[in-house]
């Protein structure tokens, strides 16, 4: 069940995605929060540090015109960006993950679900959807309607 803080963290993700995401196709932000409500890590969907960002013309996917949802690991829709969840996990120290909550404002893909499960995050708050991997993981999976 979502509590007041969960709603606040999702609102934080929505606002932060609009500010920080450099992807021209999707604005996604993720935050990992410890049980004491301190931020352990954050991430947005974007290219590795030092690379030309998508919104600066550095993305072959954006220039290709491929439809959303198409393969992003090969041309013509190749995407250089890492997903927000992956960046949040890699930009933080895993201390406290067993008691932490990961919030993300868009549904995690299969690869991100694997990474979240592998990091042993205690709670995951995501938009309602089909989460084949996370539903099998021992974390508490909280789903909210995307309209929130």
């Amino acid at each position: 069940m979502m509590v007041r803080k969960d709603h606040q963290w999702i609102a934080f993700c929505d606002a932060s995605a609009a500010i920080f995401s450099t992807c021209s196709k999707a604005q996604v932000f993720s935050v990992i929060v410890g049980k004491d409500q301190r931020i352990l890590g954050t991430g947005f969907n974007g290219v590795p540090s030092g690379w030309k960002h998508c919104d600066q013309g550095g993305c072959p996917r954006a220039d290709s015109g491929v439809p959303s949802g198409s393969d992003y690991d090969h041309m013509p829709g190749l995407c250089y960006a890492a997903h927000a969840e992956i960046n949040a996990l890699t930009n933080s120290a895993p201390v406290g993950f067993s008691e932490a909550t990961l919030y993300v404002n868009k549904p995690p893909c299969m690869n991100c679900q694997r990474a979240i499960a592998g990091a042993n995050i205690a709670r995951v708050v995501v938009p309602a959807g089909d989460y084949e991997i996370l539903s099998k993981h021992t974390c508490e999976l909280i789903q909210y309607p995307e309209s929130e």
Side-chain angles (χ1 to χ4, degrees), residues 45-71:
N45 54 334
V47 297
S49 180
W51 291 29
K52 191 174 185 180
H53 288 282
C54 301
D55 59 3
Q56 299 168 330
C59 178
R61 183 173 182 79
D63 295 337
S64 72
V66 297
S68 183
S70 62
D71 180 18

Short mmCIF file of all heavy atoms in Angstrom, two decimals, residues 45-71:
data_model
loop_
_atom_site.label_atom_id
_atom_site.label_comp_id
_atom_site.label_asym_id
_atom_site.label_seq_id
_atom_site.Cartn_x
_atom_site.Cartn_y
_atom_site.Cartn_z
N ASN A 45 17.62 8.93 -17.04
CA ASN A 45 18.05 8.27 -18.26
C ASN A 45 18.90 9.25 -19.07
O ASN A 45 18.49 10.35 -19.37
CB ASN A 45 16.86 7.72 -19.07
CG ASN A 45 15.81 8.76 -19.38
OD1 ASN A 45 15.64 9.74 -18.67
ND2 ASN A 45 15.07 8.54 -20.44
N GLY A 46 20.13 8.81 -19.33
CA GLY A 46 21.06 9.65 -20.05
C GLY A 46 22.33 8.89 -20.39
O GLY A 46 22.57 7.80 -19.88
N VAL A 47 23.14 9.49 -21.23
CA VAL A 47 24.39 8.87 -21.69
C VAL A 47 25.45 8.94 -20.61
O VAL A 47 25.32 9.70 -19.64
CB VAL A 47 24.90 9.55 -22.98
CG1 VAL A 47 23.91 9.37 -24.11
CG2 VAL A 47 25.21 11.01 -22.75
N PRO A 48 26.52 8.15 -20.75
CA PRO A 48 27.61 8.21 -19.77
C PRO A 48 28.20 9.62 -19.66
O PRO A 48 28.18 10.39 -20.61
CB PRO A 48 28.64 7.22 -20.33
CG PRO A 48 27.84 6.27 -21.15
CD PRO A 48 26.74 7.10 -21.75
N SER A 49 28.73 9.91 -18.50
CA SER A 49 29.33 11.21 -18.23
C SER A 49 30.39 11.55 -19.29
O SER A 49 31.20 10.70 -19.66
CB SER A 49 29.97 11.18 -16.84
OG SER A 49 30.56 12.41 -16.55
N GLY A 50 30.34 12.77 -19.76
CA GLY A 50 31.31 13.23 -20.74
C GLY A 50 30.88 13.05 -22.19
O GLY A 50 31.51 13.59 -23.10
N TRP A 51 29.82 12.28 -22.43
CA TRP A 51 29.34 12.06 -23.79
C TRP A 51 28.39 13.19 -24.17
O TRP A 51 27.79 13.84 -23.31
CB TRP A 51 28.60 10.74 -23.91
CG TRP A 51 29.46 9.52 -23.80
CD1 TRP A 51 30.63 9.37 -23.10
CD2 TRP A 51 29.19 8.25 -24.38
NE1 TRP A 51 31.10 8.09 -23.22
CE2 TRP A 51 30.23 7.38 -24.00
CE3 TRP A 51 28.18 7.76 -25.17
CZ2 TRP A 51 30.29 6.05 -24.40
CZ3 TRP A 51 28.22 6.44 -25.57
CH2 TRP A 51 29.27 5.60 -25.19
N LYS A 52 28.20 13.37 -25.47
CA LYS A 52 27.24 14.34 -25.96
C LYS A 52 25.83 13.80 -25.69
O LYS A 52 25.51 12.68 -26.10
CB LYS A 52 27.46 14.54 -27.47
CG LYS A 52 26.71 15.69 -28.05
CD LYS A 52 27.13 15.89 -29.51
CE LYS A 52 26.49 17.10 -30.10
NZ LYS A 52 26.91 17.28 -31.50
N HIS A 53 25.03 14.56 -24.97
CA HIS A 53 23.69 14.10 -24.58
C HIS A 53 22.73 14.04 -25.76
O HIS A 53 22.93 14.69 -26.79
CB HIS A 53 23.12 15.02 -23.50
CG HIS A 53 23.78 14.85 -22.18
ND1 HIS A 53 23.51 13.81 -21.34
CD2 HIS A 53 24.73 15.59 -21.56
CE1 HIS A 53 24.24 13.90 -20.25
NE2 HIS A 53 25.01 14.98 -20.37
N CYS A 54 21.69 13.25 -25.57
CA CYS A 54 20.67 13.07 -26.60
C CYS A 54 20.07 14.41 -27.03
O CYS A 54 19.90 14.67 -28.22
CB CYS A 54 19.56 12.15 -26.11
SG CYS A 54 20.13 10.52 -25.64
N ASP A 55 19.74 15.25 -26.03
CA ASP A 55 19.11 16.53 -26.35
C ASP A 55 20.11 17.53 -26.96
O ASP A 55 19.75 18.65 -27.28
CB ASP A 55 18.40 17.12 -25.14
CG ASP A 55 19.31 17.36 -23.95
OD1 ASP A 55 20.53 17.12 -24.04
OD2 ASP A 55 18.79 17.79 -22.89
N GLN A 56 21.38 17.10 -27.13
CA GLN A 56 22.41 17.92 -27.78
C GLN A 56 22.79 17.31 -29.13
O GLN A 56 23.81 17.67 -29.71
CB GLN A 56 23.66 18.01 -26.89
CG GLN A 56 23.40 18.65 -25.55
CD GLN A 56 24.58 18.46 -24.59
OE1 GLN A 56 25.31 17.47 -24.66
NE2 GLN A 56 24.74 19.42 -23.70
N GLY A 57 22.00 16.35 -29.61
CA GLY A 57 22.26 15.73 -30.90
C GLY A 57 23.15 14.51 -30.85
O GLY A 57 23.61 14.04 -31.89
N GLY A 58 23.40 13.96 -29.66
CA GLY A 58 24.30 12.82 -29.53
C GLY A 58 23.63 11.47 -29.56
O GLY A 58 24.25 10.47 -29.21
N CYS A 59 22.38 11.40 -29.98
CA CYS A 59 21.65 10.13 -29.92
C CYS A 59 21.23 9.65 -31.31
O CYS A 59 20.39 10.28 -31.96
CB CYS A 59 20.39 10.30 -29.06
SG CYS A 59 19.38 8.83 -28.95
N PRO A 60 21.80 8.54 -31.77
CA PRO A 60 21.38 8.02 -33.07
C PRO A 60 19.91 7.59 -33.07
O PRO A 60 19.24 7.66 -34.09
CB PRO A 60 22.30 6.82 -33.32
CG PRO A 60 23.05 6.58 -32.08
CD PRO A 60 22.85 7.74 -31.17
N ARG A 61 19.39 7.18 -31.93
CA ARG A 61 18.00 6.75 -31.83
C ARG A 61 17.06 7.91 -32.10
O ARG A 61 16.09 7.79 -32.85
CB ARG A 61 17.71 6.14 -30.47
CG ARG A 61 16.30 5.61 -30.33
CD ARG A 61 16.13 4.87 -28.99
NE ARG A 61 14.83 4.31 -28.85
CZ ARG A 61 14.42 3.18 -29.42
NH1 ARG A 61 15.24 2.49 -30.17
NH2 ARG A 61 13.20 2.73 -29.23
N ALA A 62 17.33 9.05 -31.48
CA ALA A 62 16.47 10.22 -31.67
C ALA A 62 16.47 10.67 -33.13
O ALA A 62 15.45 11.08 -33.67
CB ALA A 62 16.93 11.36 -30.77
N ASP A 63 17.62 10.57 -33.77
CA ASP A 63 17.75 11.00 -35.17
C ASP A 63 17.16 10.00 -36.15
O ASP A 63 16.89 10.33 -37.29
CB ASP A 63 19.22 11.24 -35.51
CG ASP A 63 19.82 12.39 -34.72
OD1 ASP A 63 19.05 13.27 -34.26
OD2 ASP A 63 21.05 12.41 -34.55
N SER A 64 16.97 8.74 -35.71
CA SER A 64 16.54 7.68 -36.63
C SER A 64 15.05 7.69 -36.92
O SER A 64 14.61 7.17 -37.93
CB SER A 64 16.91 6.30 -36.07
OG SER A 64 16.08 5.99 -34.95
N GLY A 65 14.27 8.25 -36.00
CA GLY A 65 12.81 8.26 -36.19
C GLY A 65 12.15 6.93 -35.94
O GLY A 65 10.99 6.73 -36.30
N VAL A 66 12.84 5.97 -35.30
CA VAL A 66 12.22 4.67 -35.01
C VAL A 66 11.10 4.86 -33.99
O VAL A 66 11.16 5.76 -33.15
CB VAL A 66 13.25 3.63 -34.50
CG1 VAL A 66 14.29 3.35 -35.55
CG2 VAL A 66 13.88 4.07 -33.21
N PRO A 67 10.07 4.03 -34.07
CA PRO A 67 8.95 4.18 -33.13
C PRO A 67 9.35 3.80 -31.70
O PRO A 67 10.25 2.97 -31.49
CB PRO A 67 7.89 3.22 -33.68
CG PRO A 67 8.63 2.26 -34.54
CD PRO A 67 9.84 2.97 -35.04
N SER A 68 8.68 4.38 -30.75
CA SER A 68 8.91 4.06 -29.35
C SER A 68 8.65 2.58 -29.12
O SER A 68 7.73 2.00 -29.70
CB SER A 68 7.95 4.90 -28.48
OG SER A 68 8.19 4.65 -27.13
N GLY A 69 9.48 1.97 -28.30
CA GLY A 69 9.33 0.55 -28.00
C GLY A 69 10.13 -0.36 -28.92
O GLY A 69 10.21 -1.56 -28.69
N SER A 70 10.73 0.19 -29.98
CA SER A 70 11.52 -0.64 -30.88
C SER A 70 12.88 -0.95 -30.25
O SER A 70 13.28 -0.32 -29.27
CB SER A 70 11.69 0.05 -32.24
OG SER A 70 12.38 1.26 -32.09
N ASP A 71 13.59 -1.91 -30.82
CA ASP A 71 14.89 -2.35 -30.31
C ASP A 71 15.85 -1.17 -30.16
O ASP A 71 16.07 -0.42 -31.10
CB ASP A 71 15.46 -3.40 -31.27
CG ASP A 71 16.83 -3.93 -30.84
OD1 ASP A 71 17.19 -3.77 -29.66
OD2 ASP A 71 17.50 -4.53 -31.69
#
